[in-house]
Each structure stands twice: as C-alpha cells, then as structure tokens.
Amino acid sequence: MTAIAAGGDSFSGYGYSLALKNDGTVVGWGNNSYGQITIPSGLSGVTAIAAGFNHSLALKSDGTVVGWGYNSYGQITIPSGLSGVTAIAAGGYHSLALKSDGTVVGWGYNSYGQITIPSGLSGVTALAAGGDNATGYGHSLALKSGGTVVGWGNNSYGQITIPSGLSGVTAIATRWGHSLALKSDGTVVGWGSNNSGQTTVPAGLNGVAAIAAGNGHSLALKSDGTVVGWGSNSSGQTTVPAGLNGVAAIAAGNAHSLALKPKAP
C-alpha cells in the first residue's frame, strides 16, 4: 500500500476506507450505501486517492481524475477536459483538484461557495475539503507555496477563519467543522469547532510529520513513526493501538482512524 483515505457520513455514522496499492489499483471496505467502495472496473495507474462523506476520487498518473459513489450534486462528475491534476480532495458534497500550474478547480455542491475558487488564487501546493452532509455545509482550504493558508465556503464554526499570523505551514487537513495546519517546525495548529477537543492540540506535541482531521477528532503522525490522537473518542478513534509504530501515513474518517505501515521485508 502507498496511501490510505477514510470517509464517512456524519449524519448516519457510516464510515468507509480506501487504500492505494503499489500497483496503482484501489481497494475499498466499509459502508457502501452509495457505491463509494465499489471501485470502477479497470481502474489502474492511480497515484492518489480521496474519500468524502459518501464519494471517492482517484488521481491517475496521466493527470486525470475518476470519481465514484454518491453523485446527487455532481461531486463525482468530473469537469470536461480536466487534466494536468497533481492533487485531489473530497468534501461533504464537493470535490477539488489542484492543477500543475498551481490553480484549483472545484465541482459539486456550492451552496456555501465551497467550489467558488477565490479570485486570483494561485501558487497552491495542497488542498483539503470538508463539510457536513447532514446539512449540506461545505468548505475548502488551500496551502500556498509561501506557507500560508486560504479558506472559502461555509464558516459556521470558524473553520475557514485562518488564525492570524499563521505561516510556515507545510500541510493542511480539514473535515466537518475544524481545520488543522502542520508547521515546518513540526508543531500543529487547530481552529474551528472544538466541541470534542479536536482543535485543542496536546501540550508539547512536536516532531509531527503528517496530520489528519476526522469529523470530531484529529491525528498526528510523528517523525518517529508513532501516532497521537485527540478529540472525540466515542468509537475508540483516538485510542491508538498499543505498540503501534513504524507508521508511514494516517487517515481520519467519521469515527474511525487508519494507519499505514510499510510491508515487512
């Protein structure tokens, strides 16, 4: 496996998972109410995956995107001619693509402007998409090459109100109503909804190499290959398995968490 993604429906509590294999194919498991883990026949050459609440995306090596699962708002209807894509993100009812020229394309539900890309947005290096599919809320984040973050869409919980002075960011994550940023010094900043403590970063947390945001919980992968979780633990999603180490990637869904470990030699 080379990548993992976790999705789920915040309203019903359903969750699902995706994994990208070394051979460029995708495997899915968990809830399949909308076909979100029914991988399209013949899908191959995949380099990245993304999981929304009930829809899934795959980025292919030729820079094109494939979508499957729930499509009531056109979130898996890829814009005609979309190519040159280098990264993808799946929100509640919307999808985002980052192009090689640093610009962003969005499609799907737009009730809160979550796919209305801010005028002049460029120099983007990473994307994150969130939203609550019980209400249709949706929001988007972009990380710029200078280490700053831009947000647009629904802001009911302050999830796109970027903390003043935030800079030196190397990675971003968002889900339902909260957002996370990983800084170049290995520390994490959180903002937005904190009803379950998901933006209250554990004191002294440092040496972080990757982050993930679930519906009410947060995860951090440390450079030593261990994982830290905080926020809601209603389903044990932040209770990291004892002895877990050697982790290469993490993902956070509705109420579950995933860790990718390299295959033993």
Side-chain angles (χ1 to χ4, degrees):
M1 303 292 178
T2 64
I4 49 178
D9 179 342
S10 63
F11 182 67
S12 64
Y14 295 153
Y16 74 100
S17 304
L18 299 175
L20 173 59
K21 299 184 67 176
N22 295 335
D23 63 2
T25 61
V26 180
V27 178
W29 64 98
N31 178 52
N32 197 34
S33 298
Y34 299 96
Q36 59 267 51
I37 64 168
T38 301
I39 313 303
S41 177
L43 180 64
S44 61
V46 176
T47 59
I49 51 177
F53 283 131
N54 289 307
H55 75 286
S56 304
L57 301 175
L59 171 61
K60 299 191 65 175
S61 57
D62 63 2
T64 62
V65 180
V66 177
W68 63 97
Y70 194 55
N71 197 38
S72 287
Y73 299 97
Q75 58 266 55
I76 65 168
T77 302
I78 313 303
S80 177
L82 180 64
S83 62
V85 176
T86 60
I88 50 176
Y93 289 144
H94 74 291
S95 302
L96 301 174
L98 172 61
K99 299 194 67 176
S100 57
D101 63 0
T103 61
V104 179
V105 177
W107 62 97
Y109 201 42
N110 198 36
S111 58
Y112 293 89
Q114 57 266 55
I115 65 169
T116 301
I117 313 304
S119 177
L121 181 65
S122 62
V124 175
T125 60
L127 296 171
D132 178 352
N133 77 332
T135 61
Y137 294 161
H139 64 280
S140 306
L141 297 179
L143 172 61
K144 298 194 68 177
S145 57
T148 59
V149 181
V150 177
W152 64 97
N154 178 55
N155 199 34
S156 297
Y157 304 97
Q159 62 268 47
I160 65 167
T161 300
I162 314 303
S164 178
L166 181 65
S167 62
V169 176
T170 60
I172 52 176
T174 192
R175 190 70 181 175
W176 171 61
H178 80 289
S179 302
L180 301 173
L182 172 60
K183 299 192 66 175
S184 56
D185 63 1
T187 62
V188 178
V189 176
W191 65 96
S193 176
N194 197 36
N195 61 308
S196 298
Q198 62 267 49
T199 65
T200 302
V201 179
L205 180 65
N206 56 42
V208 175
I211 50 176
N215 281 353
H217 71 290
S218 303
L219 300 177
L221 170 61
K222 299 193 67 175
S223 55
D224 63 3
T226 61
V227 179
V228 177
W230 64 97
S232 176
N233 198 36
S234 58
S235 299
Q237 60 266 51
T238 63
T239 301
V240 180
L244 180 65
N245 55 45
V247 174
I250 53 175
N254 171 42
H256 74 292
S257 301
L258 300 176
L260 172 63
K261 296 191 65 173
K263 186 177 180 180

